[in-house]
Amino acid sequence: MACRALSGRAGPPSPRLTRRFLFIFTLSLSGTYLCYNLLRCAGGPLPGPERRCLPARSAGAKKLLQKSRSCGREPGEPGGAASPWGRTRSDEPAWGGPRGAGQEAPPAGNGSGPAKLGSKRLPQALIVGVKKGGTRAVLEFIRVHPEVRAVGTEPHFFDRHYERGLEWYRSLMPRTLSRQITMEKTPSYFVTKEAPRRIFNMSRDTKLIVVVRNPVTRAISDYTQTLSKKPDIPTFEGLSFQNRSLGLVDTSWNAIRIGMYVVHLQSWLQYFPLSQIHFVSGEKLITDPAGEMGKVQDFLGIKRVITDKHFYFNKTKGFPCLKKTESSTLPRCLGKSKGRTHVQIDPEVIEQLRDFYRPYNIKFYETVGQDFRWE
């Protein structure tokens, strides 16, 4: 009988036993899943590509979460801890208004290290001219201002490298915070026919700075620089005139043509109003650097930080230099290529060139509403 009972077929399991087994199995899985998520929120060393947190569903779980590391937003995100800027980076507007085309948002950290401050933006202000007018001095002086960051070298994007594209141009810019202005200088832009349209296409709100100087003095300075590099070039008089006896000036020579400011200005006025163009006097930049830089700061819409206390006059070079700053223990002057002694030019040649430039100068004064007193 016992053998027959053991060898016989067993009956189906009890439904009550089955329900009990399923309940215990489900409860085990739920408990394991809850513990897994609690450990991840508490910073436990569990594998996984990213941290995720599920809200606690019981009072006990909430107490455990309160004792552990917060599993909310990362620092710098809205609602998270403070960012290095003192506010969430997504809330920072770009300089001069809301962030728009051509301006990047500051980069977020990727977990591999601290995020770099600021971002690379397309410039909001450009020093577009003129060559040998004092553009390097204006750039070096304005860079003292804490709200200005500028490229040290001349990018020549809008005249030589435009085909490389705006992203390449942007990559040359320094990193800036939202309150800072990005600038660059390339003096040849002023005499480049395509430059106004190209800059306008980048941003019609771009502020333009033009440093001008007596065109005769500027031409002599231009020639002196070229002569230092190419000693075998013809004389200044020979390059300036097609026929000196007739007083026929050669306007095809770049050193002469650059000084015809009003001619070049017409191209810019087709795209930009005068209110967006500021003219710096190259002469006053030497005699009153603080006054001229004060006007530049006003034009850029920034506080007048650069004042008389920043300058001293270098008698050897013949122009002002920056006094030592907090970041430098030594005074800072422009390079040895600046302040060269000009070549001696026949006074009659100078007078002929003054006569040539006079009508252009007068028209320039009338157009910009400013008398530079070159006559």
Side-chain angles (χ1 to χ4, degrees):
M1 292 291 294
C3 290
R4 283 197 300 269
L6 289 173
S7 61
R9 294 183 62 182
S14 168
R16 184 176 181 182
L17 182 62
T18 301
R19 286 196 298 271
R20 183 177 299 175
F21 175 80
L22 289 175
F23 174 78
I24 294 173
F25 181 76
T26 303
L27 185 63
S28 299
L29 284 179
S30 299
T32 302
Y33 183 74
L34 179 60
C35 290
Y36 179 83
N37 282 285
L38 288 175
L39 285 173
R40 295 188 71 177
C41 289
L46 294 174
E50 58 181 350
R51 282 176 52 198
R52 292 180 182 172
C53 291
L54 293 179
R57 298 186 181 182
S58 67
K62 288 181 180 179
K63 289 181 180 179
L64 178 59
L65 283 171
Q66 289 170 358
K67 294 179 182 179
S68 66
R69 180 183 174 185
S70 173
C71 201
R73 295 179 177 87
E74 291 295 326
E77 294 181 358
S83 74
W85 287 266
R87 53 180 173 176
T88 56
R89 279 170 286 194
S90 60
D91 293 336
E92 290 189 348
W95 172 81
R99 186 180 297 120
Q103 295 175 327
E104 283 185 341
N110 57 11
S112 60
K116 294 182 179 179
L117 291 178
S119 62
K120 294 190 175 187
R121 298 180 175 89
L122 293 172
Q124 298 99 344
L126 300 173
I127 301 174
V128 297
V130 299
K131 180 183 178 184
K132 307 308 297 180
T135 56
R136 173 56 61 179
V138 171
L139 182 72
E140 293 303 320
F141 295 165
I142 198 63
R143 289 173 80 179
V144 173
H145 202 292
E147 293 184 15
V148 173
R149 295 292 307 281
V151 183
T153 56
E154 297 175 3
H156 284 280
F157 175 67
F158 294 105
D159 59 347
R160 300 179 188 173
H161 304 297
Y162 192 66
E163 72 285 351
R164 291 176 179 255
L166 286 174
E167 287 308 310
W168 175 84
Y169 184 46
R170 187 203 303 272
S171 71
L172 304 180
M173 299 299 123
R175 289 184 177 275
T176 54
L177 300 180
S178 62
R179 68 177 182 275
Q180 293 177 313
I181 301 171
T182 304
M183 290 184 65
E184 69 110 322
K185 93 162 178 82
T186 304
S188 55
Y189 290 163
F190 189 67
V191 296
T192 300
K193 187 176 180 180
E194 299 82 9
R197 173 179 52 82
R198 291 171 174 177
I199 295 172
F200 178 84
N201 288 339
M202 176 187 72
S203 173
R204 64 181 62 193
D205 298 321
T206 305
K207 294 188 176 184
L208 309 170
I209 297 174
V210 186
V211 190
V212 291
R213 183 183 183 185
N214 185 316
V216 179
T217 309
R218 197 222 65 81
I220 297 172
S221 179
D222 197 340
Y223 175 80
T224 301
Q225 183 183 55
T226 304
L227 185 65
S228 68
K229 300 175 182 178
K230 301 177 181 179
D232 57 344
I233 62 172
T235 64
F236 179 83
E237 293 88 337
L239 292 169
S240 298
F241 295 92
Q242 291 181 351
N243 189 321
R244 185 183 169 188
S245 61
L246 297 176
L248 188 58
V249 176
D250 189 353
T251 57
S252 66
W253 185 32
N254 206 38
I256 293 293
R257 185 162 184 80
I258 289 175
M260 300 162 64
Y261 303 137
V262 72
V263 173
H264 307 296
L265 182 59
Q266 300 310 312
S267 298
W268 293 90
L269 293 179
Q270 292 179 21
Y271 295 92
F272 297 94
L274 273 175
S275 59
Q276 278 179 237
I277 309 176
H278 179 70
F279 298 92
V280 177
S281 168
E283 287 79 17
K284 289 184 179 179
L285 192 62
I286 296 174
T287 60
D288 182 20
E292 284 301 294
M293 293 310 299
K295 296 174 185 176
V296 172
Q297 292 169 91
D298 292 344
F299 173 69
L300 294 175
I302 55 180
K303 184 179 179 180
R304 286 198 178 198
V305 171
I306 305 169
T307 61
D308 285 320
K309 68 180 182 181
H310 288 89
F311 301 100
Y312 76 97
F313 190 81
N314 187 306
K315 294 181 179 179
T316 303
K317 286 183 170 291
F319 55 76
C321 298
L322 289 168
K323 293 181 181 178
K324 64 180 181 180
T325 60
E326 294 179 0
S327 60
S328 174
T329 58
L330 296 174
R332 192 169 71 202
C333 266
L334 300 182
K336 62 181 181 179
S337 64
K338 307 299 180 182
R340 294 188 186 94
T341 301
H342 290 177
V343 296
Q344 294 297 313
I345 306 296
D346 185 341
E348 291 186 6
V349 171
I350 293 177
E351 192 59 36
Q352 283 179 296
L353 289 177
R354 284 176 178 168
D355 292 339
F356 166 76
Y357 279 120
R358 185 169 290 110
Y360 293 101
N361 291 344
I362 293 173
K363 184 65 175 176
F364 180 64
Y365 301 162
E366 293 173 349
T367 303
V368 303
Q370 188 173 345
D371 187 351
F372 292 92
R373 301 184 181 280
W374 294 325
E375 306 310 311

